[in-house]
Amino acid sequence: DIQMTQSPSTLSASVGDRVTITCRASQNISSWLAWFQQKPGKAPKLLIYDVTNLESAVPSRFSGSGSGTEFTLTISSLQPDDFATYFCQQYNSYWTFGQGTKVEIK
Amino acid sequence: QVQLVQSGGEVKKPGASVKVSCKASGYTFNSYGVSWVRQAPGQGLEWMGWISGYTGKTNYTQKLQGRVTMTTDTSTSTAYMELRSLRSDDTAVYYCARHHDNSGYPFDYWGQGTLVTVSS
């Protein structure tokens, strides 16, 4: 099974900050990686797929990069609506999620 | 618009079974697969398995093999997930999620979640 490791687990930031979250795969997953945002009591929402592609209606301040085993999600200027938990997901071999990164208000 | 609407919360005793439904609308049901994902309180997301909307073929995570069954009713565009021999650590929110009818695609739409509580 492919394991996904996210870091950090928690991130404290302020509105306007640039935020980066990292996801590492236990083996090469090519570009089969997505990022999700989840708010309390809600289902996850797809933000980015195939490493770099923004889902429809997702703000352009979100971007993704990487390939192989190391990937990043960047929020260029954190907005109040962005405080949430973020998960990566590999879909190279079935599906596995990272353990999540909670972005909280500093 | 695409919607996945799940059945309501359940409270079960240890050893019992639970069956959660996920009714799809807004797309051609048998052109997509449905995965089931659970999230224990305060924890991350755990993929449980998936079912093809076209063939009905299933694939379950090894951890749940023998306790989980996923089915579909194409006449009502509904997917079902049954989990048997429930334990306290099965307490979680259970989600259904849509993806293209293969294993190489991300989940693009999710149900609202169903809380299953296992308690004596």
Side-chain angles (χ1 to χ4, degrees), chain B residues 16-49:
Chain B
S17 299
V18 69
K19 191 170 186 176
V20 180
S21 67
C22 170
K23 183 169 176 60
S25 61
Y27 71 95
T28 303
F29 183 75
N30 59 12
S31 294
Y32 290 81
V34 173
S35 274
W36 289 88
V37 176
R38 67 181 180 178
Q39 187 171 36
Q43 302 302 307
L45 300 165
E46 178 186 14
W47 176 72
M48 302 173 63

PDB file of all heavy atoms in Angstrom, chain B residues 16-49:
ATOM      1  N   ALA B  16     -23.413  -5.579  15.923  1.00  0.00           N
ATOM      2  CA  ALA B  16     -24.503  -5.362  14.971  1.00  0.00           C
ATOM      3  C   ALA B  16     -23.946  -4.993  13.598  1.00  0.00           C
ATOM      4  O   ALA B  16     -22.732  -4.902  13.389  1.00  0.00           O
ATOM      5  CB  ALA B  16     -25.423  -4.256  15.483  1.00  0.00           C
ATOM      6  N   SER B  17     -24.871  -4.779  12.650  1.00  0.00           N
ATOM      7  CA  SER B  17     -24.520  -4.349  11.299  1.00  0.00           C
ATOM      8  C   SER B  17     -25.178  -3.007  11.011  1.00  0.00           C
ATOM      9  O   SER B  17     -26.190  -2.649  11.629  1.00  0.00           O
ATOM     10  CB  SER B  17     -25.010  -5.377  10.266  1.00  0.00           C
ATOM     11  OG  SER B  17     -24.406  -6.624  10.471  1.00  0.00           O
ATOM     12  N   VAL B  18     -24.607  -2.294  10.057  1.00  0.00           N
ATOM     13  CA  VAL B  18     -25.191  -1.031   9.609  1.00  0.00           C
ATOM     14  C   VAL B  18     -25.122  -0.987   8.090  1.00  0.00           C
ATOM     15  O   VAL B  18     -24.185  -1.513   7.478  1.00  0.00           O
ATOM     16  CB  VAL B  18     -24.449   0.185  10.224  1.00  0.00           C
ATOM     17  CG1 VAL B  18     -23.028   0.331   9.666  1.00  0.00           C
ATOM     18  CG2 VAL B  18     -25.236   1.467  10.028  1.00  0.00           C
ATOM     19  N   LYS B  19     -26.138  -0.384   7.488  1.00  0.00           N
ATOM     20  CA  LYS B  19     -26.161  -0.234   6.035  1.00  0.00           C
ATOM     21  C   LYS B  19     -26.462   1.227   5.725  1.00  0.00           C
ATOM     22  O   LYS B  19     -27.501   1.761   6.127  1.00  0.00           O
ATOM     23  CB  LYS B  19     -27.214  -1.140   5.404  1.00  0.00           C
ATOM     24  CG  LYS B  19     -27.117  -1.238   3.889  1.00  0.00           C
ATOM     25  CD  LYS B  19     -28.032  -2.337   3.359  1.00  0.00           C
ATOM     26  CE  LYS B  19     -27.858  -2.574   1.870  1.00  0.00           C
ATOM     27  NZ  LYS B  19     -28.688  -3.703   1.383  1.00  0.00           N
ATOM     28  N   VAL B  20     -25.536   1.878   5.038  1.00  0.00           N
ATOM     29  CA  VAL B  20     -25.643   3.288   4.696  1.00  0.00           C
ATOM     30  C   VAL B  20     -25.925   3.409   3.209  1.00  0.00           C
ATOM     31  O   VAL B  20     -25.307   2.703   2.399  1.00  0.00           O
ATOM     32  CB  VAL B  20     -24.355   4.043   5.063  1.00  0.00           C
ATOM     33  CG1 VAL B  20     -24.460   5.520   4.702  1.00  0.00           C
ATOM     34  CG2 VAL B  20     -24.049   3.878   6.559  1.00  0.00           C
ATOM     35  N   SER B  21     -26.841   4.295   2.849  1.00  0.00           N
ATOM     36  CA  SER B  21     -27.157   4.488   1.436  1.00  0.00           C
ATOM     37  C   SER B  21     -26.641   5.835   0.937  1.00  0.00           C
ATOM     38  O   SER B  21     -26.413   6.764   1.714  1.00  0.00           O
ATOM     39  CB  SER B  21     -28.665   4.394   1.209  1.00  0.00           C
ATOM     40  OG  SER B  21     -29.329   5.482   1.835  1.00  0.00           O
ATOM     41  N   CYS B  22     -26.482   5.918  -0.366  1.00  0.00           N
ATOM     42  CA  CYS B  22     -25.936   7.100  -1.024  1.00  0.00           C
ATOM     43  C   CYS B  22     -26.669   7.238  -2.358  1.00  0.00           C
ATOM     44  O   CYS B  22     -26.382   6.492  -3.300  1.00  0.00           O
ATOM     45  CB  CYS B  22     -24.430   6.898  -1.214  1.00  0.00           C
ATOM     46  SG  CYS B  22     -23.582   8.097  -2.266  1.00  0.00           S
ATOM     47  N   LYS B  23     -27.631   8.160  -2.407  1.00  0.00           N
ATOM     48  CA  LYS B  23     -28.439   8.314  -3.623  1.00  0.00           C
ATOM     49  C   LYS B  23     -27.848   9.393  -4.513  1.00  0.00           C
ATOM     50  O   LYS B  23     -27.686  10.550  -4.087  1.00  0.00           O
ATOM     51  CB  LYS B  23     -29.891   8.642  -3.277  1.00  0.00           C
ATOM     52  CG  LYS B  23     -30.795   8.739  -4.508  1.00  0.00           C
ATOM     53  CD  LYS B  23     -32.243   8.808  -4.157  1.00  0.00           C
ATOM     54  CE  LYS B  23     -33.104   8.995  -5.400  1.00  0.00           C
ATOM     55  NZ  LYS B  23     -32.931   7.881  -6.360  1.00  0.00           N
ATOM     56  N   ALA B  24     -27.541   9.014  -5.742  1.00  0.00           N
ATOM     57  CA  ALA B  24     -26.891   9.919  -6.688  1.00  0.00           C
ATOM     58  C   ALA B  24     -27.905  10.558  -7.620  1.00  0.00           C
ATOM     59  O   ALA B  24     -28.929   9.945  -7.968  1.00  0.00           O
ATOM     60  CB  ALA B  24     -25.855   9.148  -7.498  1.00  0.00           C
ATOM     61  N   SER B  25     -27.623  11.779  -8.026  1.00  0.00           N
ATOM     62  CA  SER B  25     -28.450  12.454  -9.018  1.00  0.00           C
ATOM     63  C   SER B  25     -27.586  13.446  -9.783  1.00  0.00           C
ATOM     64  O   SER B  25     -26.507  13.830  -9.329  1.00  0.00           O
ATOM     65  CB  SER B  25     -29.633  13.177  -8.358  1.00  0.00           C
ATOM     66  OG  SER B  25     -29.176  14.160  -7.451  1.00  0.00           O
ATOM     67  N   GLY B  26     -28.073  13.834 -10.963  1.00  0.00           N
ATOM     68  CA  GLY B  26     -27.367  14.844 -11.750  1.00  0.00           C
ATOM     69  C   GLY B  26     -26.305  14.311 -12.678  1.00  0.00           C
ATOM     70  O   GLY B  26     -25.598  15.101 -13.320  1.00  0.00           O
ATOM     71  N   TYR B  27     -26.153  12.979 -12.753  1.00  0.00           N
ATOM     72  CA  TYR B  27     -25.192  12.393 -13.676  1.00  0.00           C
ATOM     73  C   TYR B  27     -25.628  10.969 -13.990  1.00  0.00           C
ATOM     74  O   TYR B  27     -26.524  10.417 -13.336  1.00  0.00           O
ATOM     75  CB  TYR B  27     -23.770  12.422 -13.101  1.00  0.00           C
ATOM     76  CG  TYR B  27     -23.498  11.467 -11.948  1.00  0.00           C
ATOM     77  CD1 TYR B  27     -22.938  10.219 -12.158  1.00  0.00           C
ATOM     78  CD2 TYR B  27     -23.789  11.839 -10.628  1.00  0.00           C
ATOM     79  CE1 TYR B  27     -22.679   9.356 -11.102  1.00  0.00           C
ATOM     80  CE2 TYR B  27     -23.527  10.989  -9.570  1.00  0.00           C
ATOM     81  CZ  TYR B  27     -22.978   9.751  -9.802  1.00  0.00           C
ATOM     82  OH  TYR B  27     -22.717   8.883  -8.754  1.00  0.00           O
ATOM     83  N   THR B  28     -24.968  10.378 -14.970  1.00  0.00           N
ATOM     84  CA  THR B  28     -25.262   9.001 -15.364  1.00  0.00           C
ATOM     85  C   THR B  28     -24.578   8.062 -14.394  1.00  0.00           C
ATOM     86  O   THR B  28     -23.350   7.909 -14.411  1.00  0.00           O
ATOM     87  CB  THR B  28     -24.786   8.742 -16.804  1.00  0.00           C
ATOM     88  OG1 THR B  28     -25.413   9.685 -17.685  1.00  0.00           O
ATOM     89  CG2 THR B  28     -25.139   7.319 -17.231  1.00  0.00           C
ATOM     90  N   PHE B  29     -25.370   7.441 -13.538  1.00  0.00           N
ATOM     91  CA  PHE B  29     -24.841   6.661 -12.403  1.00  0.00           C
ATOM     92  C   PHE B  29     -23.877   5.589 -12.860  1.00  0.00           C
ATOM     93  O   PHE B  29     -22.811   5.403 -12.252  1.00  0.00           O
ATOM     94  CB  PHE B  29     -26.010   6.042 -11.638  1.00  0.00           C
ATOM     95  CG  PHE B  29     -25.610   5.275 -10.417  1.00  0.00           C
ATOM     96  CD1 PHE B  29     -25.226   5.929  -9.253  1.00  0.00           C
ATOM     97  CD2 PHE B  29     -25.620   3.882 -10.415  1.00  0.00           C
ATOM     98  CE1 PHE B  29     -24.856   5.227  -8.117  1.00  0.00           C
ATOM     99  CE2 PHE B  29     -25.249   3.168  -9.290  1.00  0.00           C
ATOM    100  CZ  PHE B  29     -24.878   3.844  -8.134  1.00  0.00           C
ATOM    101  N   ASN B  30     -24.205   4.847 -13.933  1.00  0.00           N
ATOM    102  CA  ASN B  30     -23.366   3.703 -14.298  1.00  0.00           C
ATOM    103  C   ASN B  30     -22.137   4.088 -15.122  1.00  0.00           C
ATOM    104  O   ASN B  30     -21.438   3.225 -15.641  1.00  0.00           O
ATOM    105  CB  ASN B  30     -24.176   2.603 -14.981  1.00  0.00           C
ATOM    106  CG  ASN B  30     -24.860   3.091 -16.237  1.00  0.00           C
ATOM    107  OD1 ASN B  30     -24.576   4.177 -16.728  1.00  0.00           O
ATOM    108  ND2 ASN B  30     -25.769   2.284 -16.759  1.00  0.00           N
ATOM    109  N   SER B  31     -21.869   5.398 -15.226  1.00  0.00           N
ATOM    110  CA  SER B  31     -20.631   5.851 -15.867  1.00  0.00           C
ATOM    111  C   SER B  31     -19.543   6.187 -14.857  1.00  0.00           C
ATOM    112  O   SER B  31     -18.428   6.576 -15.238  1.00  0.00           O
ATOM    113  CB  SER B  31     -20.904   7.084 -16.738  1.00  0.00           C
ATOM    114  OG  SER B  31     -21.733   6.753 -17.829  1.00  0.00           O
ATOM    115  N   TYR B  32     -19.862   6.051 -13.596  1.00  0.00           N
ATOM    116  CA  TYR B  32     -18.928   6.428 -12.537  1.00  0.00           C
ATOM    117  C   TYR B  32     -18.869   5.354 -11.461  1.00  0.00           C
ATOM    118  O   TYR B  32     -19.791   4.555 -11.304  1.00  0.00           O
ATOM    119  CB  TYR B  32     -19.351   7.749 -11.884  1.00  0.00           C
ATOM    120  CG  TYR B  32     -19.168   8.950 -12.779  1.00  0.00           C
ATOM    121  CD1 TYR B  32     -20.114   9.266 -13.747  1.00  0.00           C
ATOM    122  CD2 TYR B  32     -18.027   9.744 -12.675  1.00  0.00           C
ATOM    123  CE1 TYR B  32     -19.939  10.351 -14.579  1.00  0.00           C
ATOM    124  CE2 TYR B  32     -17.847  10.836 -13.501  1.00  0.00           C
ATOM    125  CZ  TYR B  32     -18.806  11.136 -14.454  1.00  0.00           C
ATOM    126  OH  TYR B  32     -18.624  12.214 -15.277  1.00  0.00           O
ATOM    127  N   GLY B  33     -17.772   5.375 -10.724  1.00  0.00           N
ATOM    128  CA  GLY B  33     -17.649   4.527  -9.561  1.00  0.00           C
ATOM    129  C   GLY B  33     -17.974   5.300  -8.300  1.00  0.00           C
ATOM    130  O   GLY B  33     -18.045   6.537  -8.305  1.00  0.00           O
ATOM    131  N   VAL B  34     -18.183   4.554  -7.224  1.00  0.00           N
ATOM    132  CA  VAL B  34     -18.427   5.156  -5.911  1.00  0.00           C
ATOM    133  C   VAL B  34     -17.484   4.516  -4.908  1.00  0.00           C
ATOM    134  O   VAL B  34     -17.409   3.287  -4.795  1.00  0.00           O
ATOM    135  CB  VAL B  34     -19.883   4.953  -5.452  1.00  0.00           C
ATOM    136  CG1 VAL B  34     -20.066   5.439  -4.007  1.00  0.00           C
ATOM    137  CG2 VAL B  34     -20.848   5.692  -6.378  1.00  0.00           C
ATOM    138  N   SER B  35     -16.756   5.352  -4.222  1.00  0.00           N
ATOM    139  CA  SER B  35     -15.930   4.892  -3.112  1.00  0.00           C
ATOM    140  C   SER B  35     -16.589   5.265  -1.791  1.00  0.00           C
ATOM    141  O   SER B  35     -17.402   6.190  -1.732  1.00  0.00           O
ATOM    142  CB  SER B  35     -14.536   5.530  -3.159  1.00  0.00           C
ATOM    143  OG  SER B  35     -13.656   4.811  -3.975  1.00  0.00           O
ATOM    144  N   TRP B  36     -16.195   4.540  -0.768  1.00  0.00           N
ATOM    145  CA  TRP B  36     -16.628   4.847   0.599  1.00  0.00           C
ATOM    146  C   TRP B  36     -15.391   5.170   1.434  1.00  0.00           C
ATOM    147  O   TRP B  36     -14.372   4.471   1.367  1.00  0.00           O
ATOM    148  CB  TRP B  36     -17.406   3.688   1.190  1.00  0.00           C
ATOM    149  CG  TRP B  36     -18.762   3.523   0.552  1.00  0.00           C
ATOM    150  CD1 TRP B  36     -19.051   2.792  -0.559  1.00  0.00           C
ATOM    151  CD2 TRP B  36     -19.990   4.109   0.982  1.00  0.00           C
ATOM    152  NE1 TRP B  36     -20.383   2.895  -0.864  1.00  0.00           N
ATOM    153  CE2 TRP B  36     -20.998   3.692   0.079  1.00  0.00           C
ATOM    154  CE3 TRP B  36     -20.365   4.941   2.040  1.00  0.00           C
ATOM    155  CZ2 TRP B  36     -22.334   4.080   0.202  1.00  0.00           C
ATOM    156  CZ3 TRP B  36     -21.688   5.329   2.165  1.00  0.00           C
ATOM    157  CH2 TRP B  36     -22.661   4.900   1.260  1.00  0.00           C
ATOM    158  N   VAL B  37     -15.509   6.237   2.197  1.00  0.00           N
ATOM    159  CA  VAL B  37     -14.410   6.762   3.017  1.00  0.00           C
ATOM    160  C   VAL B  37     -14.973   7.015   4.410  1.00  0.00           C
ATOM    161  O   VAL B  37     -16.110   7.480   4.542  1.00  0.00           O
ATOM    162  CB  VAL B  37     -13.882   8.092   2.424  1.00  0.00           C
ATOM    163  CG1 VAL B  37     -12.805   8.704   3.325  1.00  0.00           C
ATOM    164  CG2 VAL B  37     -13.355   7.875   1.016  1.00  0.00           C
ATOM    165  N   ARG B  38     -14.196   6.694   5.440  1.00  0.00           N
ATOM    166  CA  ARG B  38     -14.672   7.008   6.779  1.00  0.00           C
ATOM    167  C   ARG B  38     -13.665   7.880   7.522  1.00  0.00           C
ATOM    168  O   ARG B  38     -12.473   7.896   7.201  1.00  0.00           O
ATOM    169  CB  ARG B  38     -14.975   5.737   7.573  1.00  0.00           C
ATOM    170  CG  ARG B  38     -13.784   4.885   7.928  1.00  0.00           C
ATOM    171  CD  ARG B  38     -14.261   3.654   8.703  1.00  0.00           C
ATOM    172  NE  ARG B  38     -13.152   2.786   9.077  1.00  0.00           N
ATOM    173  CZ  ARG B  38     -13.297   1.679   9.787  1.00  0.00           C
ATOM    174  NH1 ARG B  38     -14.509   1.287  10.190  1.00  0.00           N
ATOM    175  NH2 ARG B  38     -12.243   0.949  10.098  1.00  0.00           N
ATOM    176  N   GLN B  39     -14.199   8.590   8.511  1.00  0.00           N
ATOM    177  CA  GLN B  39     -13.387   9.522   9.297  1.00  0.00           C
ATOM    178  C   GLN B  39     -13.796   9.400  10.761  1.00  0.00           C
ATOM    179  O   GLN B  39     -14.881   9.828  11.144  1.00  0.00           O
ATOM    180  CB  GLN B  39     -13.592  10.948   8.785  1.00  0.00           C
ATOM    181  CG  GLN B  39     -12.682  11.973   9.421  1.00  0.00           C
ATOM    182  CD  GLN B  39     -12.772  13.324   8.725  1.00  0.00           C
ATOM    183  OE1 GLN B  39     -13.827  13.749   8.269  1.00  0.00           O
ATOM    184  NE2 GLN B  39     -11.638  14.010   8.617  1.00  0.00           N
ATOM    185  N   ALA B  40     -12.946   8.773  11.555  1.00  0.00           N
ATOM    186  CA  ALA B  40     -13.189   8.660  12.988  1.00  0.00           C
ATOM    187  C   ALA B  40     -13.092  10.047  13.617  1.00  0.00           C
ATOM    188  O   ALA B  40     -12.438  10.947  13.058  1.00  0.00           O
ATOM    189  CB  ALA B  40     -12.180   7.703  13.604  1.00  0.00           C
ATOM    190  N   PRO B  41     -13.716  10.251  14.764  1.00  0.00           N
ATOM    191  CA  PRO B  41     -13.732  11.582  15.386  1.00  0.00           C
ATOM    192  C   PRO B  41     -12.338  12.171  15.545  1.00  0.00           C
ATOM    193  O   PRO B  41     -11.446  11.543  16.128  1.00  0.00           O
ATOM    194  CB  PRO B  41     -14.384  11.316  16.751  1.00  0.00           C
ATOM    195  CG  PRO B  41     -15.233  10.113  16.523  1.00  0.00           C
ATOM    196  CD  PRO B  41     -14.506   9.275  15.536  1.00  0.00           C
ATOM    197  N   GLY B  42     -12.140  13.356  14.978  1.00  0.00           N
ATOM    198  CA  GLY B  42     -10.867  14.050  15.091  1.00  0.00           C
ATOM    199  C   GLY B  42      -9.723  13.431  14.314  1.00  0.00           C
ATOM    200  O   GLY B  42      -8.569  13.834  14.484  1.00  0.00           O
ATOM    201  N   GLN B  43     -10.029  12.483  13.437  1.00  0.00           N
ATOM    202  CA  GLN B  43      -8.986  11.749  12.715  1.00  0.00           C
ATOM    203  C   GLN B  43      -8.996  12.066  11.221  1.00  0.00           C
ATOM    204  O   GLN B  43      -9.777  12.902  10.755  1.00  0.00           O
ATOM    205  CB  GLN B  43      -9.166  10.242  12.923  1.00  0.00           C
ATOM    206  CG  GLN B  43      -9.124   9.809  14.371  1.00  0.00           C
ATOM    207  CD  GLN B  43      -7.815  10.200  15.044  1.00  0.00           C
ATOM    208  OE1 GLN B  43      -6.719   9.897  14.556  1.00  0.00           O
ATOM    209  NE2 GLN B  43      -7.902  10.880  16.183  1.00  0.00           N
ATOM    210  N   GLY B  44      -8.131  11.378  10.489  1.00  0.00           N
ATOM    211  CA  GLY B  44      -8.021  11.583   9.052  1.00  0.00           C
ATOM    212  C   GLY B  44      -9.011  10.738   8.274  1.00  0.00           C
ATOM    213  O   GLY B  44      -9.945  10.154   8.829  1.00  0.00           O
ATOM    214  N   LEU B  45      -8.788  10.690   6.970  1.00  0.00           N
ATOM    215  CA  LEU B  45      -9.694  10.012   6.042  1.00  0.00           C
ATOM    216  C   LEU B  45      -9.148   8.630   5.703  1.00  0.00           C
ATOM    217  O   LEU B  45      -7.975   8.496   5.332  1.00  0.00           O
ATOM    218  CB  LEU B  45      -9.845  10.846   4.770  1.00  0.00           C
ATOM    219  CG  LEU B  45     -10.401  12.249   4.980  1.00  0.00           C
ATOM    220  CD1 LEU B  45     -10.164  13.105   3.740  1.00  0.00           C
ATOM    221  CD2 LEU B  45     -11.888  12.183   5.307  1.00  0.00           C
ATOM    222  N   GLU B  46     -10.014   7.622   5.793  1.00  0.00           N
ATOM    223  CA  GLU B  46      -9.627   6.241   5.507  1.00  0.00           C
ATOM    224  C   GLU B  46     -10.482   5.711   4.365  1.00  0.00           C
ATOM    225  O   GLU B  46     -11.709   5.608   4.499  1.00  0.00           O
ATOM    226  CB  GLU B  46      -9.812   5.366   6.745  1.00  0.00           C
ATOM    227  CG  GLU B  46      -9.470   3.911   6.519  1.00  0.00           C
ATOM    228  CD  GLU B  46      -9.796   3.014   7.710  1.00  0.00           C
ATOM    229  OE1 GLU B  46     -10.526   3.464   8.626  1.00  0.00           O
ATOM    230  OE2 GLU B  46      -9.334   1.864   7.728  1.00  0.00           O
ATOM    231  N   TRP B  47      -9.834   5.371   3.244  1.00  0.00           N
ATOM    232  CA  TRP B  47     -10.556   4.769   2.122  1.00  0.00           C
ATOM    233  C   TRP B  47     -10.927   3.345   2.469  1.00  0.00           C
ATOM    234  O   TRP B  47     -10.088   2.576   2.933  1.00  0.00           O
ATOM    235  CB  TRP B  47      -9.692   4.816   0.869  1.00  0.00           C
ATOM    236  CG  TRP B  47     -10.319   4.144  -0.306  1.00  0.00           C
ATOM    237  CD1 TRP B  47     -11.380   4.595  -1.044  1.00  0.00           C
ATOM    238  CD2 TRP B  47      -9.933   2.900  -0.885  1.00  0.00           C
ATOM    239  NE1 TRP B  47     -11.678   3.700  -2.039  1.00  0.00           N
ATOM    240  CE2 TRP B  47     -10.802   2.655  -1.974  1.00  0.00           C
ATOM    241  CE3 TRP B  47      -8.941   1.962  -0.601  1.00  0.00           C
ATOM    242  CZ2 TRP B  47     -10.705   1.520  -2.767  1.00  0.00           C
ATOM    243  CZ3 TRP B  47      -8.838   0.829  -1.393  1.00  0.00           C
ATOM    244  CH2 TRP B  47      -9.708   0.608  -2.459  1.00  0.00           C
ATOM    245  N   MET B  48     -12.201   2.967   2.230  1.00  0.00           N
ATOM    246  CA  MET B  48     -12.692   1.646   2.620  1.00  0.00           C
ATOM    247  C   MET B  48     -12.804   0.682   1.441  1.00  0.00           C
ATOM    248  O   MET B  48     -12.669  -0.531   1.598  1.00  0.00           O
ATOM    249  CB  MET B  48     -14.080   1.779   3.259  1.00  0.00           C
ATOM    250  CG  MET B  48     -14.128   2.671   4.473  1.00  0.00           C
ATOM    251  SD  MET B  48     -15.809   2.939   5.034  1.00  0.00           S
ATOM    252  CE  MET B  48     -16.297   1.283   5.493  1.00  0.00           C
ATOM    253  N   GLY B  49     -13.096   1.233   0.256  1.00  0.00           N
ATOM    254  CA  GLY B  49     -13.279   0.389  -0.912  1.00  0.00           C
ATOM    255  C   GLY B  49     -14.107   1.121  -1.939  1.00  0.00           C
ATOM    256  O   GLY B  49     -14.545   2.254  -1.719  1.00  0.00           O
TER     257      GLY B  49
END
